[in-house]
Amino acid sequence: MSAHGSMQEPAPASRMALPGWGRVLVVVAHPDDESFGLGAVISAFAADDVVVDVLCLTRGEASTLHGVEGDLATIREHELRAAADALGARGVDLRALPDGGLAGLDHAIIDREVERAVAATRPDGILTFDTTGISGHPDHVAATDAAVRVAARHGLGVLAWTLPEEICAKLDDDGYAGFLGRPASEIDLVLSVDRTAQRAAVDCHPSQAVPGSVLWRRLELQGDTEHLRWLRQSYATQTDVN
């Protein structure tokens, strides 16, 4: 383990390159997914002058870590927009599908929202969560499944954030059960990242980033390393990846 808590060994150079996309659409279920989960990867794209747009399918009014005063949907919208700015994203499209209910919706309803975002932003690829949902949350899984379905219709690549099995095992040992990781053989990209922008984005979510949250322990274990896997590769993606 490194001095800052990461459990990961340095990756071979051939696995440390993001795809050469010019525009990326981020598809997530809840306000804070873009920061807590994908933040370091989004800021890495933005640092390379990639145009990043965020589609968040719910307003997160049903999934909060503690009570706050005021309308939670409005509060979380403001948090999301501030966080996206901190990460360097160009814009946010916040939809109002049912928080906690994405898995129960007809696929066509969720796909329609992703289709609208694809038409508006014309991305070269999509960034989202792994098909495990990372924590197994059904909303995460539903959002990712929709992203993959729409990407297939448009010939787009889909890159997914994941966690290694050993980090999930350590979280489980620490009392944070439910995280679903991948063995090294299923991880395609291992990136060294700067978490400065991600931590600034996390600070924009005071209703969620509370002391004692598993977020802080996970980030400690991840250190300066992120893990990604391809859910779908387009021809252009295959030729652009180093």
Side-chain angles (χ1 to χ4, degrees):
M1 185 178 293
S2 72
H4 43 55
S6 174
M7 300 174 62
Q8 304 310 310
E9 297 298 323
S14 61
R15 298 179 64 203
M16 297 183 69
L18 287 169
W21 295 337
R23 296 182 300 276
V24 174
L25 175 64
V26 176
V27 177
V28 294
H30 310 123
D32 73 38
D33 290 345
E34 83 301 325
S35 299
F36 296 3
L38 302 175
V41 183
I42 291 174
S43 65
F45 273 120
D48 285 342
D49 295 323
V50 177
V51 175
V52 180
D53 291 285
V54 178
L55 170 65
C56 182
L57 293 168
T58 81
R59 292 181 173 267
E61 68 278 5
S63 56
T64 186
L65 295 181
H66 68 109
V68 293
E69 295 183 2
D71 178 63
L72 190 58
T74 300
I75 290 169
R76 296 197 72 182
E77 177 179 359
H78 290 324
E79 291 179 349
L80 169 59
R81 294 190 185 282
D85 286 344
L87 294 172
R90 176 176 67 175
V92 172
D93 185 5
L94 183 61
R95 310 310 302 159
L97 296 181
D99 182 17
L102 292 185
L105 295 178
D106 187 281
H107 289 175
I109 295 174
I110 310 178
D111 290 7
R112 187 179 306 120
E113 301 295 353
V114 182
E115 288 279 5
R116 287 173 56 186
V118 167
T121 64
R122 302 181 64 83
D124 300 310
I126 293 176
L127 175 66
T128 190
F129 278 30
D130 197 355
T131 52
T132 61
I134 304 295
S135 63
H137 196 302
D139 279 359
H140 294 168
V141 175
T144 294
D145 287 349
V148 172
R149 287 192 299 268
V150 172
R153 290 197 282 270
H154 292 271
L156 299 173
V158 181
L159 191 60
W161 171 62
T162 194
L163 290 174
E165 285 182 332
E166 56 266 31
I167 285 182
C168 297
K170 182 59 177 175
L171 289 170
D172 188 61
D173 290 343
D174 291 344
Y176 302 110
F179 284 86
L180 303 172
R182 295 283 182 180
S185 61
E186 296 179 11
I187 293 172
D188 299 309
L189 301 176
V190 182
L191 306 175
S192 293
V193 295
D194 181 345
R195 296 198 185 274
T196 303
Q198 181 181 26
R199 291 187 180 278
V202 166
D203 288 343
C204 295
H205 290 282
S207 75
Q208 307 301 303
V210 298
S213 167
V214 63
L215 166 68
W216 309 113
R217 180 57 173 151
R218 173 172 59 74
L219 289 176
E220 178 186 13
L221 292 172
Q222 288 181 273
D224 60 0
T225 306
E226 286 288 0
H227 298 80
L228 301 161
R229 62 191 302 261
W230 287 108
L231 302 185
R232 188 181 187 282
Q233 289 197 55
S234 67
Y235 176 76
T237 298
Q238 293 170 1
T239 57
D240 285 345
V241 174
N242 293 336

